[in-house]
Amino acid sequence: MDIKVNVREAQGDTYVVDLNGEIDVYTSPKVKDAIGDLIDKGHYNLVINLEKVRYIDSTGLGVLIGGLKRVREHGGTVNLVCTNPQIKKIFDITGLVKIFGIYDDEDAAMKALV
Amino acid sequence: MDIKVNVREAQGDTYVVDLNGEIDVYTSPKVKDAIGDLIDKGHYNLVINLEKVRYIDSTGLGVLIGGLKRVREHGGTVNLVCTNPQIKKIFDITGLVKIFGIYDDEDAAMKALV
Amino acid sequence: MNQPIAHPNRSAGLVELRIPSKAEWVAVARLAVAAVANRLNFSIEDIEDVKLAVAEACTNCIQHAHGSDQIEITCETDSDALTIRVRDYGQGTRPEAIQSRRVDEPRVGGLGVFLIRSLMDAVEYDVHPERGTNLVMTKKVTA
Amino acid sequence: MNQPIAHPNRSAGLVELRIPSKAEWVAVARLAVAAVANRLNFSIEDIEDVKLAVAEACTNCIQHAHGSDQIEITCETDSDALTIRVRDYGQGTRPEAIQSRRVDEPRVGGLGVFLIRSLMDAVEYDVHPERGTNLVMTKKVTA
Ligand SMILES: Nc1ncnc2c1ncn2[C@@H]1O[C@H](COP(=O)(O)OP(=O)(O)O)[C@@H](O)[C@H]1O
Ligand SMILES: Nc1ncnc2c1ncn2[C@@H]1O[C@H](COP(=O)(O)OP(=O)(O)O)[C@@H](O)[C@H]1O
């Protein structure tokens, strides 16, 4: 019932945020801080890897949307890696599939970024 | 939060009961029935495989003890396969380690039976 | 606040839970309700839906029901449905506030009620500016 | 039966749960309490201990507290301890009945109270033949 956040530098000026656990009203501030830090440091092309996320609620979605909004102001983007069918369903019914690039693996999310 | 019970005939006149799940006050009657059936049919040398049991409470222990009592009346025995440290601990603190043969794998439990 | 849980129709399958109105306890509600749902014949997907709906309801109590220090969650089970009530005794809201929207631009917030309505089969909000909010939602077991 | 949950010392970290006094609901108590324990700094082993102790207490309410249709479980959390109360309003017992024993011969039953006392750091039974049984048990967080 916790979230682990890991930030990695990838090729180009892109960064990958690995999330592992559950993103809810309690844990999402930690995710928000990690993404906010990257953006504050001028990194506007991000891949957020949700492969190990077992659960996300609207607070978590809000953090992702907030991040996307901020990087877009700088011409950047946020791509997601997501394979969990329940989480994919949430992106689907909320219409967020049309806003985020959602990919089945990190490679694809990366390629679509650069 | 449920239990799956599978009964297999093994070498000699021994039977293996595979348990998968959680054994508590709700699920233990199912385990009791399976063991009782075998004993009713005259099978007194049993291996109960707890490798896939994630949780057991005193009701579950009671079912195992009850089975052992019944087979002993016929000169039989019950050997257990158990690797989960938490469950091993329960057998330890209750003193049941001294009553049951508890083994790390089915082979060893089987060999000790015949 | 601190009212005893009311039991108008106490039934054999009633499970009642109270948690402090704080973010750290939402996971307890989520897991307890998932355990209740597990006792019915729900699919794993349906159980995930119920977990999320309950979490969204609790999150709204925490974020919007000012002055309520507790959230009350009751689960009533039938063979063919799970009815969950989530209520707070905080500052409530006007019915118009309980709106749900789909996202067509990246805007933060406003997804909770939408998700609840999407994931559950029946959703009824009893809202009142002073009395707090009472949400009753049902998920049917589909065989 | 059906008494409102009493709150002598309501604290910020209080989680309250009521389940029907039936075998099928013990798993809900176990998982809810595990979720509460997860919020403290307990090791996985300690969380398993707490789960088992709560389950044993609920099982005893179901098997011995005749006439009680509900079990009340309250969790009070501190930074360094989890205190769990399990109570029923059924036919209680005499203090002598609450005994614990180790097994030296294969005898069925009589392990529940022993396990509770072994797994928890402090255990207090308030038993009464008519009023039902009130068990308070504490597990300390060991850093
Ligand atoms: N328990 C509640 N108490 C008070 N207001 C609530 C409650 N639940 C929902 N609301 C109102 O409904 C609105 C929509 O909620 P929601 O869809 O979850 O989006 P958000 O919480 O991001 O605003 C909230 O902004 C709030 O005004
Ligand atoms: N909630 C309760 N209500 C009434 N009696 C109880 C309760 N909890 C424990 N007891 C008494 O304590 C005894 C010992 O319990 P336990 O060690 O769990 O073994 P068992 O349940 O197998 O008898 C029970 O037999 C019962 O008489």
Side-chain angles (χ1 to χ4, degrees), chain D residues 72-85:
Chain D
E72 220 174 85
I73 300 117
T74 64
C75 298
E76 218 172 315
T77 58
D78 255 81
S79 57
D80 63 347
L82 172 59
T83 298
I84 304 166
R85 187 161 63 105

Side-chain angles (χ1 to χ4, degrees), chain D residues 12-77:
Chain D
L14 196 65
V15 172
E16 301 163 88
L17 177 68
R18 271 194 205 175
I19 57 168
S21 191
K22 292 212 180 110
E24 63 199 286
W25 301 109
V26 173
V28 174
R30 208 160 71 214
L31 291 171
V33 173
V36 171
N38 194 267
R39 279 291 165 251
L40 281 86
N41 260 335
F42 281 118
S43 66
I44 291 176
E45 193 185 330
D46 282 349
I47 293 176
E48 288 299 316
D49 288 353
V50 167
K51 270 168 79 171
L52 184 51
V54 167
E56 295 296 342
C58 291
T59 299
N60 276 340
C61 295
I62 292 165
Q63 295 185 330
H64 304 297
H66 306 293
S68 184
D69 62 356
Q70 294 229 323
I71 306 170
E72 220 174 85
I73 300 117
T74 64
C75 298
E76 218 172 315
T77 58

Side-chain angles (χ1 to χ4, degrees), chain A residues 31-107:
Chain A
V31 179
K32 189 177 180 177
D33 287 352
I35 296 171
D37 270 6
L38 282 173
I39 300 172
D40 289 345
K41 287 180 186 142
H43 307 299
Y44 306 126
N45 283 302
L46 308 178
V47 168
I48 300 182
N49 193 329
L50 304 173
E51 278 175 294
K52 291 191 176 146
V53 171
R54 293 181 306 267
Y55 172 90
I56 190 164
D57 72 3
S58 69
T59 334
L61 298 177
V63 168
L64 300 180
I65 298 167
L68 180 63
K69 269 184 72 172
R70 282 194 62 197
V71 299
R72 276 194 181 170
E73 288 165 13
H74 303 275
T77 192
V78 171
N79 282 343
L80 305 177
V81 184
C82 178
T83 50
N84 181 313
Q86 178 70 16
I87 294 180
K88 275 187 159 171
K89 180 177 123 183
I90 300 304
F91 281 104
D92 218 26
I93 59 180
T94 53
L96 288 170
V97 272
K98 282 181 278 172
I99 291 171
F100 283 102
I102 302 182
Y103 300 88
D104 281 342
D105 56 73
E106 200 173 300
D107 246 28

Side-chain angles (χ1 to χ4, degrees), chain C residues 113-135:
Chain C
V113 174
F114 174 76
L115 281 170
I116 292 171
R117 291 201 195 274
S118 303
L119 300 171
M120 300 298 280
D121 292 312
V123 175
E124 213 176 286
Y125 265 101
D126 177 9
V127 299
H128 193 276
E130 281 112 50
R131 267 201 317 269
T133 301
N134 189 7
L135 163 61

Side-chain angles (χ1 to χ4, degrees), chain C:
Chain C
M1 292 178 288
N2 298 3
Q3 286 91 335
I5 297 178
H7 314 288
N9 294 306
R10 182 180 293 274
S11 82
L14 196 66
V15 171
E16 302 163 87
L17 176 68
R18 271 194 204 175
I19 56 168
S21 192
K22 291 211 180 112
E24 63 199 286
W25 300 110
V26 172
V28 173
R30 211 160 70 215
L31 291 171
V33 173
V36 171
N38 194 266
R39 279 289 164 252
L40 281 86
N41 261 335
F42 282 119
S43 66
I44 291 175
E45 193 185 330
D46 282 348
I47 294 176
E48 288 299 316
D49 288 353
V50 167
K51 270 167 79 170
L52 184 51
V54 167
E56 295 297 341
C58 290
T59 298
N60 275 341
C61 295
I62 293 166
Q63 294 184 331
H64 304 296
H66 306 292
S68 184
D69 61 358
Q70 294 230 322
I71 305 169
E72 221 175 84
I73 301 118
T74 64
C75 298
E76 218 172 314
T77 60
D78 256 82
S79 56
D80 63 347
L82 171 59
T83 298
I84 304 167
R85 187 161 64 104
V86 178
R87 79 174 301 166
D88 62 65
Y89 295 94
Q91 188 184 313
T93 187
R94 292 152 298 106
E96 315 86 76
I98 307 286
Q99 272 168 11
S100 58
R101 61 174 191 92
R102 227 160 175 275
V103 192
D104 24 35
E105 28 132 22
R107 189 157 64 95
V108 178
L111 285 173
V113 174
F114 174 76
L115 281 170
I116 292 171
R117 291 201 195 274
S118 303
L119 300 171
M120 300 298 280
D121 292 312
V123 175
E124 213 176 286
Y125 265 101
D126 177 9
V127 299
H128 193 276
E130 281 112 50
R131 267 201 317 269
T133 301
N134 189 7
L135 163 61
V136 181
M137 48 191 177
T138 301
K139 184 92 177 171
K140 284 186 204 133
V141 180
T142 49

